[in-house]
């Protein structure tokens, strides 16, 4: 009996210790480990009256205050004075796509690049090689204050770069990101690329407004990724793919609108690890209207939002502490009708195009988070010059 009591005391102690380890900010406790799930307390702690709060409907404004910050298109420069508001937030990247550039498919070439010209998915049906999915920069454009990524079947695609690779017939789409990939070498008929980050950030608040394509066989995504995500040795701390949303649920939309969030770290091979959540929603995300998707990435956890309501929170992988770049992609099934999260998305019909439209992207940083960012590889501020690489180095690091 006495031994059972001792074991019980030890078990309780271990739970408390584990909770304390999970709920820290740069090594210091950041909130009460015994309050709800911890992340909700971040919002409740800011509220004056919490008696009638529905914790299933916590809003972005319950967690952070972005008032007194302009929504105008803006790119922060390290030489400038930070436009900090009362809670320590300041803008780092705001693009309303209200300026169309003559190069780079209309995107600002200082921060954006179109996804590389290459095959994305080979056809899953040998008898239908035209089901292969290719990425092409010509499928990206800026028009009427929107960044548009087209997706569709072309039987005589005449892009000069694609044609040089032999890509003339198939399903063509694309994406854009704050990273530029350039061919570094060719081996066994396959191109190798160097990954040059144009803009990156660790922690902060990220928000975008998207209109989905309403067509079978499609899924689009807004995600963050880093050059070190494929390395192992520090779990997700030195790099995590953060899928703010993946739209793979149109086929089930008549029953219940859903959306997926996910984290991936340690690469995509045998060492790869994942965590994800598929949430049920009240609204229809495929109603032809724009919907908001956001990520609050703190030193303690990731909190995801859809149309301003918190939908998931996690600290899986240990929370990334290095800068990552932004990606917007619009993809087509490769003939099997399957998408991410093990979802059936249906077969893409070749009778028309399916566009993903991005209304804006807004990114903010908080001065209180800056001290938690891991040092860069050369000890200097993160920038294009050091390719936003961190100091993390492990004997187990490898690309897989």
């Amino acid at each position: 009996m006495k031994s059972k009591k001792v074991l019980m005391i030890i078990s309780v102690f271990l739970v408390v210790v584990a909770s304390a380890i999970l709920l820290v900010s740069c090594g210091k406790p950041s909130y009460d480990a015994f309050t709800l799930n911890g992340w909700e307390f971040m919002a409740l702690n800011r509220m004056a009256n919490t008696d009638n709060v529905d914790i299933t409907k916590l809003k972005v404004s319950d967690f952070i205050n972005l008032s007194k910050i302009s929504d105008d298109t803006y790119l922060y420069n390290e030489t400038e004075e930070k436009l900090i508001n009362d809670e320590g937030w300041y803008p780092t990247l705001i693009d309303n796509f209200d300026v169309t550039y003559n190069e780079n498919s209309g995107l600002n070439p200082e921060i954006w690049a179109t996804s590389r010209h290459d095959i994305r998915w080979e056809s899953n049906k040998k008898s239908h090689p035209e089901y292969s999915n290719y990425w092409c920069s010509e499928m990206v454009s800026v028009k009427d204050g929107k960044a548009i990524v087209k997706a569709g079947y072309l039987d005589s695609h005449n892009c000069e770069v694609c044609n040089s690779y032999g890509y003339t017939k198939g399903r063509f789409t694309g994406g854009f990101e704050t990273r530029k990939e350039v061919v570094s070498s060719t081996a066994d008929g396959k191109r190798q690329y160097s990954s040059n980050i144009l803009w990156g950030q660790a922690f902060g608040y990220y928000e975008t407004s998207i209109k989905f394509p309403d067509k079978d066989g499609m899924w689009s995504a807004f995600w963050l990724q880093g050059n070190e995500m494929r390395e192992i040795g520090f779990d997700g701390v030195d790099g995590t793919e953060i899928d703010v949303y993946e739209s793979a649920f149109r086929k089930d939309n008549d029953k219940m609108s859903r959306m997926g969030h996910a984290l991936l770290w340690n690469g995509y091979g045998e060492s790869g690890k994942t965590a994800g959540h598929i949430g049920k929603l009240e609204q229809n995300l495929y109603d032809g209207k724009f919907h908001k998707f956001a990520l609050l990435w703190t030193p303690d956890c990731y909190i995801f939002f859809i149309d301003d309501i918190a939908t998931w929170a996690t600290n899986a992988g240990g929370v990334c502490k290095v800068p990552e770049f932004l990606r917007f992609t619009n993809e087509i099934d490769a003939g099997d009708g399957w998408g991410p999260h093990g979802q059936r998305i249906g077969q893409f019909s070749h009778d028309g195009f399916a566009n993903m439209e991005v209304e804006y992207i807004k990114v903010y940083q908080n001065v209180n988070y800056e001290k938690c960012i891991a040092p860069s590889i050369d000890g200097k501020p993160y920038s294009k010059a050091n390719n936003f690489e961190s100091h993390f180095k492990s004997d187990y690091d490898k690309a897989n």
Side-chain angles (χ1 to χ4, degrees):
M1 220 28 204
K2 186 176 180 180
S3 60
K4 286 185 178 180
K5 187 175 181 179
V6 171
L7 286 173
M8 184 178 294
I9 293 172
I10 293 173
S11 298
V12 171
F13 173 76
L14 290 174
V15 169
V16 172
V17 170
S19 298
I21 290 173
L22 286 173
L23 306 178
V24 298
S25 178
C26 293
K28 298 179 180 179
S30 59
Y31 34 69
D32 185 355
F34 300 100
T35 304
L36 303 174
N37 295 320
W39 65 274
E40 289 103 330
F41 184 74
M42 294 170 62
L44 298 181
N45 193 42
R46 297 179 68 252
M47 299 180 187
N49 184 357
T50 61
D51 292 340
N52 298 311
V53 173
D54 181 356
I55 64 169
T56 68
K57 300 287 186 181
L58 292 176
K59 303 182 293 296
V60 171
S61 58
D62 294 331
F63 290 87
I64 60 176
N65 176 14
L66 295 176
S67 64
K68 301 180 182 179
I69 300 178
S70 172
D71 287 333
D72 295 342
T73 293
Y74 172 81
L75 181 63
Y76 173 66
N77 187 314
E78 289 287 346
T79 62
E80 298 177 355
E81 181 181 352
K82 296 174 181 176
L83 307 174
I84 301 172
N85 74 357
D86 296 340
E87 284 195 0
W89 291 98
Y90 63 95
T92 53
L93 189 162
I94 298 177
D95 198 340
N96 295 303
F97 305 108
D98 48 359
V99 178
T100 302
Y101 295 81
N102 293 327
E103 55 183 314
N104 197 34
S105 299
L107 297 164
N108 184 348
E110 187 177 353
I111 52 177
W112 299 111
T114 52
S115 299
R116 69 194 191 199
H117 288 260
D118 211 335
I119 189 165
R120 175 58 171 164
W121 306 110
E122 293 186 355
S123 173
N124 285 299
K125 296 183 180 295
K126 293 183 179 180
S127 58
H128 289 280
E130 73 275 12
Y131 289 172
S132 293
N133 188 187
Y134 305 97
W135 274 353
C136 173
S137 63
E138 292 191 0
M139 305 303 284
V140 181
S141 62
V142 175
K143 184 179 181 181
D144 299 328
K146 311 288 188 303
I148 301 169
V149 183
K150 293 174 62 177
Y153 173 76
L154 294 169
D155 59 9
S156 57
H157 183 56
N158 56 12
C159 164
E160 183 177 346
V161 178
C162 289
N163 288 179
S164 70
Y165 295 153
Y167 307 150
T168 59
K169 183 177 182 179
R171 295 172 171 179
F172 289 87
T173 181
F176 59 99
E177 53 200 74
T178 61
R179 171 190 65 162
K180 187 173 184 179
E181 290 188 292
V182 296
V183 178
S184 58
S185 63
T186 302
D188 299 326
K190 294 185 178 181
R191 290 169 291 282
Q192 306 296 318
Y193 296 86
S194 60
S195 176
N196 306 317
I197 299 179
L198 302 173
W199 182 95
Q201 180 171 303
F203 309 128
Y205 176 70
Y206 305 72
E207 180 183 293
T208 187
S209 177
I210 304 281
K211 183 192 294 185
F212 294 136
D214 185 19
K215 190 176 177 67
D216 284 350
M218 296 298 307
W219 83 89
S220 57
F222 169 46
W223 40 316
L224 284 71
Q225 197 175 31
N227 285 344
E228 298 169 87
M229 177 266 164
R230 293 176 181 269
E231 298 174 352
I232 63 175
F234 297 97
D235 284 327
V237 176
D238 62 343
T240 297
E241 178 185 316
I242 307 171
D243 297 332
V244 181
Y245 83 82
E246 286 187 283
S247 65
F249 307 98
R250 177 182 172 276
K251 293 288 286 185
D252 293 328
N253 202 53
D254 56 335
K255 302 175 184 177
M256 177 68 73
S257 189
R258 297 179 296 148
M259 184 52 59
H261 313 297
L263 304 177
L264 300 88
W265 63 96
N266 281 5
Y268 303 103
E270 295 180 358
S271 61
K273 297 181 180 180
T274 64
H277 171 77
I278 299 174
K280 295 181 179 180
L281 305 169
E282 296 177 358
Q283 70 272 45
N284 176 9
L285 296 177
Y286 299 88
D287 56 4
K289 300 177 182 179
F290 284 90
H291 292 271
K292 283 197 281 186
F293 299 88
L295 166 73
L296 176 57
W297 172 8
T298 81
D300 297 312
C301 63
Y302 310 96
I303 305 175
F304 298 79
F305 301 85
I306 298 178
D307 287 333
D308 289 321
I309 302 298
T311 49
W312 187 45
T314 180
N315 59 5
V319 182
C320 180
K321 294 183 177 5
V322 305
E324 304 210 314
F325 56 91
L326 312 179
R327 304 189 75 178
F328 290 91
T329 53
N330 190 25
E331 302 191 46
I332 310 176
D333 84 286
D336 60 355
W338 289 91
H341 300 281
Q343 297 297 307
R344 282 195 174 276
I345 60 175
Q347 291 276 358
F348 183 80
S349 172
H350 288 176
D351 60 0
F353 284 86
N355 299 345
M356 176 186 77
E357 298 185 26
V358 184
E359 192 173 28
Y360 65 76
I361 172 66
K362 301 175 183 177
V363 185
Y364 307 86
Q365 182 60 284
N366 193 290
V367 292
N368 299 307
Y369 295 167
E370 293 175 347
K371 62 181 180 295
C372 300
I373 300 173
S376 70
I377 192 170
D378 56 11
K380 299 177 181 179
Y382 285 101
S383 67
K384 296 178 186 178
N386 55 26
N387 203 20
F388 292 86
E389 296 282 345
S390 78
H391 77 298
F392 285 107
K393 184 63 180 175
S394 167
D395 292 337
Y396 299 99
D397 281 353
K398 65 178 182 179
N400 55 2

